[in-house]
């Protein structure tokens, strides 16, 4: 089955890529989740729109990615959350909250979909967070979750 990706799917491709997948994977997972649309000649024209939107929010080049990486790795990111006794959170920390905390710590604006968080953050403490800035550049920083 031929599909056009609308979001980044790890191991498969980036938005705007036309890929060939097994019928069940495309029909039962990618299409219902909104990660892809079915390939048709008319949908092929949408690829340019998707790629243009991707280019607008993507890191410009390798040098820019390295600058952002240096900026991120020198950053102290604190996130204040509601927590109960023993530091257990009411809920968990989302990637959108992490992106907001980086922005509040005078860091760069990041895409929440590129964050790699180690499991679910459900208690206070320090957690390593990775972000894929460029196909060749991955930055990491520590997220300090504190009760607030």
């Amino acid at each position: 089955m031929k599909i056009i990706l609308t979001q980044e799917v790890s191991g498969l491709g980036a938005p705007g890529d036309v890929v060939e997948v097994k019928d069940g994977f495309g029909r039962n997972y990618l299409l219902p989740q909104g990660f892809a649309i079915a390939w048709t000649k008319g949908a092929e024209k949408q690829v340019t729109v998707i790629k243009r939107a991707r280019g607008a929010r993507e890191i410009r080049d390798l040098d820019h990615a390295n600058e952002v990486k240096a900026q991120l790795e020198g950053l102290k990111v604190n996130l204040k959350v509601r927590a109960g006794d023993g530091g257990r959170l009411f809920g968990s920390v989302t990637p959108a909250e992490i992106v907001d905390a980086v922005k509040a710590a005078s860091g760069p604006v990041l895409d929440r979909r590129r964050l790699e968080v180690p499991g679910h953050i459900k208690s206070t403490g320090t957690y390593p967070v990775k972000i894929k800035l460029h196909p060749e550049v991955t930055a990491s920083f520590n997220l300090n979750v504190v009760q607030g």
Side-chain angles (χ1 to χ4, degrees):
M1 166 182 239
K2 217 172 182 184
I3 58 169
I4 301 169
L5 296 176
T6 57
Q7 293 184 18
E8 185 167 340
V9 179
S10 55
L12 200 53
D17 291 348
V18 177
V19 294
E20 185 78 30
V21 296
K22 299 233 177 179
D23 291 346
F25 183 54
R27 197 171 41 246
N28 297 326
Y29 179 69
L30 295 173
L31 295 176
Q33 294 291 327
F35 294 141
I37 56 174
W39 180 89
T40 61
K41 288 184 181 178
E44 184 75 37
K45 295 175 185 172
Q46 290 181 319
V47 170
T48 57
V49 174
I50 292 170
K51 286 190 177 185
R52 192 174 323 130
R54 179 175 100 190
R57 76 173 173 260
E58 195 168 280
I59 302 287
R60 288 188 299 275
D61 56 8
L62 189 60
D63 293 334
H64 186 236
N66 285 325
E67 288 175 20
V68 173
K69 178 181 178 179
Q71 185 180 4
L72 273 175
E73 290 180 345
L75 208 58
K76 290 194 182 284
V77 182
N78 292 322
L79 179 61
K80 290 185 179 180
V81 294
R82 289 185 46 211
D85 294 336
R88 186 152 171 79
L89 303 185
F90 299 123
S92 63
V93 176
T94 64
E97 291 173 325
I98 296 171
V99 168
D100 291 341
V102 169
K103 198 182 329 177
S106 61
V109 177
L110 302 173
D111 186 2
R112 65 177 168 75
R113 293 177 291 251
R114 295 185 178 269
L115 282 177
E116 295 174 10
V117 183
H120 298 286
I121 299 176
K122 293 189 175 222
S123 61
T124 58
T126 302
Y127 296 90
V129 177
K130 292 182 180 178
I131 183 162
K132 190 168 186 166
L133 299 170
H134 190 268
E136 301 169 20
V137 179
T138 301
S140 61
F141 59 93
N142 286 329
L143 174 68
N144 192 20
V145 180
V146 293
Q147 187 170 355

